[in-house]
Amino acid sequence: MRILAGAIFLGIALFVFITPMLRLVWMSFRTEAGLGLGNYCKLMAQPRTSRAIVNTVVVAVGATLISVFLGAGSSFLVACTDVRRKRLVEMLTLAPFVIPSYITTLSWSSFLSRRGWVNRSLTVLGLPMLDVFSMGGIILVLGICNAPVVYLNTMHMLRRVPRELEWASLASGRGVWETFFRISLPQVMPALIAGGVLAFLAAIDNFSVPAFLGIPAGIPVLSTYIYENIIGFGPSSFNLAAALSVMLSVIAITGAFLQGRLIKKTSGMESIAEDRSVRVPLGCARGWVEGGAIFFLLTLTIVPLLAMVSSAFLPNYKNLALENITLKNFAFVFTNRGVRQAVVCSLQLASLTVLICLIAGTAIAWLRVRRGSAVIRIVEVSSMLTYAMPGIVLALSMIFHWTMFPGVYGTLRILLIAYVTRYLILQIKGSAAAVTAVNVSLEEAALVYGGGMVRVWVQVILPLIARSALASAFMIFAYSFTELTLSSILASAGARTVGLTVFSLQQAGDTHLSAAMSTVIVFAVLIFYLLSIVLRALGKRPRRKGAGEP
Amino acid sequence: MDLVISNISKKFGASHALQDVSAEIKSGEFIAILGPSGCGKTTLLRIIAGFIAPCSGEVLLSGSLLSSPSGGVPIQERNLGMVFQSLALWPHMTVRENIEYPLKSRRNRGMSRKARQEALEGAMTSTGMAQFANRLPGELSGGQRQRVALARAIVERPSLLLMDEPLSALDAELRVNMRREIQDIHRLTGATIVYVTHDQNEALAMADRVMIMRDGRIEQVASPREIYRRPETEFVATFVSKCNLLKGSWDGRNFSIAGVVFEVEPSDLPARRFIERGLFPVRPEDFCMTHGSGCESGGIEGQVANRQYNGRETHYKVRCGSELYTVYVPSGEDVFSLDEWVRLRLKVR
C-alpha cells in the first residue's frame, strides 16, 4: 500500500517537474530531418546567436559585479560599522527586491529619459546624454535589481563572525581594518561568492530588464532571443528556441550546483548567534559615510521611482510642469477593461497558486523533514530544478508538455500550472524550515495523549508552523501577482496578466500609461508588505502567551 | 610591570557588570579570577584587554594608563597575549600562519627575519605543535587546538597573558593535563597571567593568588590555601570550600548551637565577619560523624537525608532541625544508612 502510494506520488512529481524538461531537450534535437544537432548548427551559423551569447555573459558578469558591490557594501555598513539609520540603509538596498524588476526598469527609463531633468542638465553642460536603452543601462538596472540577493546572503553571515576571532587579531597587533580584511572577510567569503553566483543566475534568468531595454535598442540576450524565437512562429522556431533554452539551462543549472556547494561550506556558521556589536567604528568619517551611502542608495532606487511616478501624471511628449499635470493616465488604468481583466486575472492566479503551494508545499515539507524517504528527496530536487531553470525556458517547456492536454494551453490553467511548478520549492523550503524548528517530540506527545493525525495537525503542527509557512506564502503571492516572464509566453488573448499589460503598454510606446499602472502596482505592493508586517506583529503576541498553557 | 586595576565599574544597560573593582597584580604573578557565571569576571578581563571600555575607573600597567572610560591604549598597541574561551583560531589559516600572525604585525616591524623564525619555532616546539605546522585548525583535536591557541598567545613573549576560561572546551581528563602545560608556560615565560575560570579546582591548583568575584564585586583576594582555609565571606566559604554555615553564637573560643558547645582551637577561629554574625563555617570533611544511637551525648543530633557514594569518600546530607548539612566521610570508615540518627562533632586536629 505504502509502496503504491509512493510510486503514484513519484509518478506525478516526475510528470509535473521532470518530463517538461526532458521534452524540451528532446525538442531541441528534433529537426525536419529527424533527430540530430541540426538546430544547434543552424543557431551557431546565425551571427545573432553568438551576439546573444556574448551579450548574455557580458550583461550577467557586469550586473553581478554591480550587485556584489552594492550588496556587499551595504551589508558591511549595516552589519559591521557604527553608522546610524541602519534600517533605512537596509530598506533602500532591499527595495528592488519588493518591486518587480520591470518597474525598476521603467523607473530608470523615466529617470534617464531624453526629456528628463538628468539628461537636460547634461545637455546644458555640454555632456553626452545617458541612454538607458543600452548594454550599460541593462547592466546597471540588473545590477540594482539583484543587489538584495547578495545583501541577504552576506549580511547575516557578517554578523555571525565570532567576535573572539576579531579580538584575537586585534590582540595580535593588527588594526581594525586589517582585521576585517584578513580575518572577518575570509569567513564570509563563501557566502559572498554564493550570493554573487545567485546574482549571476538571476541576471541570466531575468527577462523583463533586457526585454524593456534591449528589444527597443536591438540588443539581444539569450532570454529575449528565446522569446523572439517563440513569438516569431517561424517553421522551426520552437525547436530553435528549445536548443537555445538548453544552452541557457546548462549555464543556470551549473551555477545553481556551484552555489549549493558553496553554501555547504558556510553551513558551520548557520548555528552561530548573530552579534550586532560594532566591529569597525568609522570614527569621524561616520557622518560622511552614512550620508553618502543614503544619498547614493536613494539615487539608485527611490529617485528613479519618483521620476516614474511623476511621469505617470504627464501626457505623452510633455515635460514636467504644473500646467501639464493630468490624471488621465490613472483614469485609464482604473477604467480600462483590459487592465481590469488583467488585475482580476493576476489576482485569481496568485491566490490559486498560493493555495496550491501552501497545501502541497507544506505536506511535502513535513514528509521530507519527518520521513525523508528517497521519493520525497526526488520531489524536492525536481522542484528545485524548475526553480533554477530560467523562467523563459520553463515557459517554453510548459508549452511543449501541456499542449498534450486540450483546454490547458491558451487558458489561465497553463499559467497556474507554470506558477506552481516554479514557486512550489519556495513554499517547501519555508515550511521545511518551520517543521524542522518544531521538536518531533511535540508531535509524538500529542499522538501519545490520544490525538489522531488530524488533531495533531490542526492542534499542534499548524499553529506552530503557521507564521513561517505564511511568510513564504506571502512571498509567492507577491511574485505571482507581478510575474512577467512566464506570462509573456504563456498568456493568451483572454488571459493577460498585470505584468504583461505593463509590458505591452511600454512596447506600444505608451510610456506614461505603463508608468501610471506601475505606480499603482508599487502602491499595492507596499500596502501588501505593510499588511504582512502588521499581521506578523499581531500574530506574535498571543502565541507567546499561550505557549506555556495546556 | 605591575598591573593595577583601580575602581573599575561597568554597566550594560541597567545592570551592573562590575562595581568599583580594584586589585593589584604583581609582575610575574599568576592570578586566577574565580566566580560563577555572570559575576563579571570575563567583563573585567575584556576591560584589561581593551575590547570594552569601563564606565569609570582605570587600568594601569607599570604606572602608565592602559584602559579608561575615554579609551586608552589601542588594543593593537598593547603587548599582551590572550587565549579565548572559544580559542578563536582562524579557521582559514594553518597552524603556522595562526602562530606567526602576531609576529607579522606592525608592532614587530623592527624584528629581524631570523628573530621572527626563532620566536615562531620556539612557540611551536614548546607547545609540541611543530609537527602539525601545516594543518588547518579544523583538522586538529581539542587538545592540539588548545596548544595552538597557547602558542599564538606566547609567541611574542608578552609580559601579560590573559586567559578566558581556556580549558572549558576540553573534556575532563584533558583539562587536568593541560593545567600542567599552562603552569610550564608560566614558568617558561615569566609572564604575568590573569586567568579567568569558573572551575575552583583549576584556580586553586594553578594560581599564586585567587580573586573571588560575585555580582560584579570582589569577595576576596588571597592565596589558594588561604582562600580554602580561611574564607572571609559567606560566599567564599560556601562557593569554594563548600562550607556548612552553622548558625549559633560565639563566646570567645566557644561556639554554641542548639545547646551544644564546640570549643575551637585559636588557629581554627573563622574570620571576624563570621564571629560578628554568629556564624561558623565548617567544611564537609571537618565533621566527624558517629552513629547516634546509644546514650553517649555531645555533638549535633541529626538524621541522614541523602547518601552518595563517591569512591574516595561518601557524601551525606544530614538534617539537623531545619538545617541541612553536608558531611564527607572517607571510605573505609563507618557507613550510615538513610534516615539513621547520627551525631556531628568537629574533627580534632
Side-chain angles (χ1 to χ4, degrees):
Chain A
M1 187 61 201
R2 212 166 163 158
I3 293 169
L4 186 71
I8 292 173
F9 197 50
L10 185 65
I12 294 175
L14 291 181
F15 183 75
V16 171
F17 294 108
I18 301 297
T19 41
M21 287 190 268
L22 293 179
R23 203 178 288 271
L24 179 83
V25 175
W26 185 65
M27 290 291 278
S28 79
F29 288 112
R30 213 176 68 171
T31 60
E32 284 155 36
L35 287 181
L37 288 170
N39 294 322
Y40 292 89
C41 298
K42 207 162 156 189
L43 278 172
M44 282 310 170
Q46 293 173 0
R48 202 171 163 78
T49 310
S50 46
R51 258 184 69 206
I53 293 176
V54 170
N55 283 348
T56 305
V57 173
V58 171
V59 161
V61 169
T64 304
L65 289 178
I66 293 179
S67 301
V68 167
F69 171 75
L70 286 176
S74 55
S75 66
F76 168 73
L77 285 183
V78 171
C80 299
T81 68
D82 53 351
V83 296
R84 290 154 300 176
R85 303 190 178 83
K86 287 186 175 176
R87 291 294 291 262
L88 180 63
V89 173
E90 179 168 271
M91 266 172 51
L92 289 176
T93 315
L94 291 182
F97 204 51
V98 189
I99 296 161
S101 62
Y102 53 88
I103 293 185
T104 307
T105 316
L106 265 180
S107 72
W108 272 89
S109 60
S110 341
F111 186 43
L112 294 185
S113 80
R114 294 184 156 272
R115 280 176 313 282
W117 58 269
V118 177
N119 275 326
R120 273 189 294 156
S121 320
L122 286 175
T123 323
V124 169
L125 291 171
L127 294 167
M129 284 198 189
L130 290 175
D131 184 12
V132 80
F133 295 91
S134 65
M135 282 290 273
I138 298 174
I139 290 173
L140 176 71
V141 175
L142 267 180
I144 294 169
C145 286
N146 298 333
V149 176
V150 181
Y151 177 86
L152 289 173
N153 251 272
T154 44
M155 204 274 280
H156 296 283
M157 285 300 165
L158 275 172
R159 279 189 176 156
R160 286 194 172 106
V161 173
R163 279 322 302 274
E164 294 202 335
L165 286 188
E166 299 173 340
W167 282 341
S169 167
L170 292 173
S172 301
R174 305 299 181 102
V176 170
W177 286 98
E178 204 183 347
T179 296
F180 176 75
F181 284 108
R182 282 179 177 269
I183 304 298
S184 319
L185 195 58
Q187 311 309 317
V188 297
M189 214 51 189
L192 182 59
I193 297 173
V197 173
L198 276 182
F200 180 85
L201 290 177
I204 61 169
D205 166 65
N206 193 293
F207 167 73
S208 5
V209 178
F212 275 64
L213 301 179
I215 292 178
I219 301 169
V221 297
L222 277 174
S223 60
T224 51
Y225 190 39
I226 293 170
Y227 170 78
E228 284 168 1
N229 263 298
I230 296 171
I231 59 168
F233 285 116
S236 59
S237 61
F238 268 39
N239 301 86
L240 290 180
L244 280 170
S245 299
V246 169
M247 293 184 208
L248 189 57
S249 306
V250 168
I251 308 178
I253 288 169
T254 316
F257 180 73
L258 190 72
Q259 199 260 343
R261 292 288 295 268
L262 284 166
I263 283 298
K264 273 208 183 103
K265 269 198 173 174
T266 59
S267 58
M269 276 171 78
E270 290 294 335
S271 53
I272 302 174
E274 288 187 19
D275 183 329
R276 293 173 176 233
S277 55
V278 174
R279 294 153 191 269
V280 182
L282 295 175
C284 48
R286 179 171 83 167
W288 288 103
V289 172
E290 183 186 310
I294 290 172
F295 175 78
F296 185 60
L297 288 170
L298 276 175
T299 317
L300 288 186
T301 52
I302 302 302
V303 173
L305 264 184
L306 292 178
M308 182 192 79
V309 172
S310 64
S311 85
F313 288 96
L314 295 176
N316 272 356
Y317 313 113
K318 285 279 168 62
N319 288 334
L320 184 59
L322 207 58
E323 67 269 18
N324 290 340
I325 285 178
T326 170
L327 287 175
K328 266 193 194 151
N329 299 318
F330 288 100
F332 172 84
V333 170
F334 286 111
T335 53
N336 183 275
R337 227 181 103 236
V339 173
R340 200 182 315 137
Q341 267 179 357
V343 170
V344 171
C345 198
S346 280
L347 274 177
Q348 277 178 346
L349 271 172
S351 322
L352 283 173
T353 307
V354 164
L355 193 68
I356 296 172
C357 283
L358 200 55
I359 294 171
T362 305
I364 292 170
W366 186 83
L367 285 170
R368 214 222 56 202
V369 174
R370 293 290 184 245
R371 304 271 186 270
S373 68
V375 171
I376 277 300
R377 281 283 156 81
I378 293 172
V379 174
E380 198 196 8
V381 171
S382 316
S383 64
M384 234 183 265
L385 278 179
T386 49
Y387 188 67
M389 254 191 346
I392 204 87
V393 176
L394 181 70
L396 185 59
S397 65
M398 290 286 117
I399 296 182
F400 291 150
H401 186 58
W402 292 99
T403 38
M404 310 193 298
F405 301 91
V408 175
Y409 183 52
T411 65
L412 264 187
R413 289 186 199 114
I414 184 107
L415 271 173
L416 180 62
I417 292 169
Y419 284 7
V420 171
T421 315
R422 186 154 172 81
Y423 297 131
L424 183 63
I425 186 66
L426 298 177
Q427 188 64 55
I428 296 180
K429 285 212 164 141
S431 295
V435 174
T436 314
V438 177
N439 197 321
V440 67
S441 59
L442 291 178
E443 287 174 29
E444 288 165 352
L447 280 174
V448 168
Y449 292 119
M453 216 45 210
V454 175
R455 266 185 67 198
V456 172
W457 267 94
V458 173
Q459 295 185 340
V460 178
I461 303 175
L462 288 181
L464 288 174
I465 66 169
R467 237 156 54 83
S468 322
L470 284 179
S472 304
F474 268 113
M475 196 162 77
I476 294 174
F477 187 89
Y479 281 177
S480 37
F481 181 67
T482 58
E483 203 281 334
L484 171 60
T485 314
L486 293 171
S487 48
S488 72
I489 299 235
L490 297 177
S492 46
R496 302 170 68 80
T497 61
V498 167
L500 192 57
T501 310
V502 175
F503 182 47
S504 30
L505 285 173
Q506 193 260 1
Q507 294 284 293
D510 293 321
T511 333
H512 297 277
L513 290 181
S514 60
M517 183 145 177
S518 299
T519 304
V520 176
I521 296 174
V522 168
F523 273 101
V525 167
L526 282 183
I527 289 169
F528 181 73
Y529 270 89
L530 282 179
L531 208 70
S532 75
I533 290 168
V534 170
L535 276 180
R536 246 187 271 180
L538 285 179
K540 246 179 201 169
R541 262 190 226 141
R543 259 202 54 210
R544 281 253 171 89
K545 255 187 182 167
E549 284 164 19
Chain B
M1 288 301 252
D2 289 1
L3 184 69
V4 177
I5 298 160
S6 71
N7 309 101
I8 291 282
S9 294
K10 177 72 186 175
K11 273 171 111 179
F12 290 116
S15 67
H16 290 271
L18 292 173
Q19 293 184 66
D20 203 24
V21 169
S22 297
E24 279 185 36
I25 299 163
K26 284 188 278 301
S27 179
E29 196 178 14
F30 189 145
I31 189 157
I33 307 180
L34 172 66
S37 60
C39 71
K41 55 191 191 301
T42 298
T43 307
L44 180 58
L45 195 74
R46 287 180 178 170
I47 286 173
I48 298 173
F51 301 140
I52 47 183
C55 293
S56 63
E58 50 194 35
V59 180
L60 303 162
L61 186 65
S62 332
S64 62
L65 189 71
L66 201 61
S67 304
S68 76
S70 54
V73 182
I75 307 159
Q76 56 265 39
E77 286 162 31
R78 305 174 181 207
N79 185 16
L80 53 84
M82 179 141 183
V83 182
F84 293 87
Q85 185 167 14
S86 66
L87 302 186
L89 298 180
W90 302 300
H92 59 297
M93 298 186 189
T94 62
V95 168
R96 179 197 302 277
E97 287 166 341
N98 263 285
I99 301 173
E100 212 174 14
Y101 189 84
L103 292 174
K104 290 186 167 172
S105 66
R106 193 174 296 173
R107 68 183 177 214
N108 291 315
R109 214 171 1 180
M111 214 175 184
S112 74
R113 219 190 147 93
K114 198 170 155 242
R116 215 174 268 173
Q117 189 62 28
E118 273 168 13
L120 172 66
E121 269 162 23
M124 288 209 290
T125 36
S126 65
T127 49
M129 288 311 293
Q131 50 182 325
F132 302 108
N134 295 320
R135 297 252 189 110
L136 287 172
E139 301 162 351
L140 300 176
S141 73
Q144 289 166 339
R145 255 180 253 168
Q146 182 65 54
R147 291 194 184 94
V148 178
L150 279 174
R152 184 178 67 186
I154 62 168
V155 71
E156 287 180 285
R157 289 291 181 132
S159 50
L160 180 58
L161 254 180
L162 305 177
M163 302 197 182
D164 184 9
E165 309 216 12
L167 304 184
S168 61
L170 303 180
D171 57 54
E173 197 179 338
L174 204 51
R175 214 178 309 170
V176 175
N177 291 337
M178 286 304 296
R179 279 185 204 169
R180 205 189 54 238
E181 301 197 17
I182 290 176
Q183 283 176 304
D184 288 347
I185 278 172
H186 181 226
R187 218 183 41 238
L188 198 78
T189 60
T192 310
I193 295 185
V194 182
Y195 186 105
V196 162
T197 179
H198 67 269
D199 181 336
Q200 43 164 317
N201 293 327
E202 234 169 76
L204 296 180
M206 291 192 287
D208 297 327
R209 278 197 303 159
V210 180
M211 180 197 285
I212 313 272
M213 288 188 66
R214 183 176 68 138
D215 294 344
R217 291 177 198 277
I218 294 179
E219 292 270 321
Q220 186 175 359
V221 188
S223 71
R225 189 181 164 78
E226 211 171 330
I227 291 272
Y228 190 77
R229 304 300 311 180
R230 253 184 86 84
E232 270 172 8
T233 66
E234 291 96 320
F235 175 74
V236 176
T238 50
F239 178 69
V240 180
S241 26
K242 302 281 175 261
C243 283
N244 298 293
L245 287 178
L246 275 55
K247 296 186 188 77
S249 58
W250 285 94
D251 178 20
R253 281 169 44 205
N254 295 327
F255 179 76
S256 46
I257 176 170
V260 186
V261 176
F262 293 118
E263 199 184 315
V264 183
E265 293 294 315
S267 62
D268 286 347
L269 279 176
R272 282 189 65 83
R273 182 187 167 91
F274 293 104
I275 295 177
E276 279 162 7
R277 297 177 183 204
L279 292 174
F280 185 22
V282 181
R283 284 181 296 277
E285 68 270 24
D286 286 350
F287 272 126
C288 168
M289 190 153 82
T290 53
H291 296 284
S293 55
C295 50
E296 59 171 323
S297 62
I300 317 167
E301 195 172 44
Q303 203 178 7
V304 175
N306 180 275
R307 183 177 73 184
Q308 290 180 1
Y309 178 67
N310 265 38
R312 201 166 32 184
E313 55 207 10
T314 307
H315 297 177
Y316 292 95
K317 292 273 182 209
V318 179
R319 187 180 304 285
C320 303
S322 60
E323 302 289 328
L324 203 58
Y325 296 135
T326 308
V327 181
Y328 297 168
V329 177
S331 299
E333 291 186 11
D334 278 357
V335 176
F336 303 86
S337 48
L338 219 56
D339 293 334
E340 183 184 343
W341 285 94
V342 292
R343 279 177 185 283
L344 299 177
R345 290 186 189 78
L346 284 190
K347 260 189 191 150
V348 186
R349 266 192 298 266

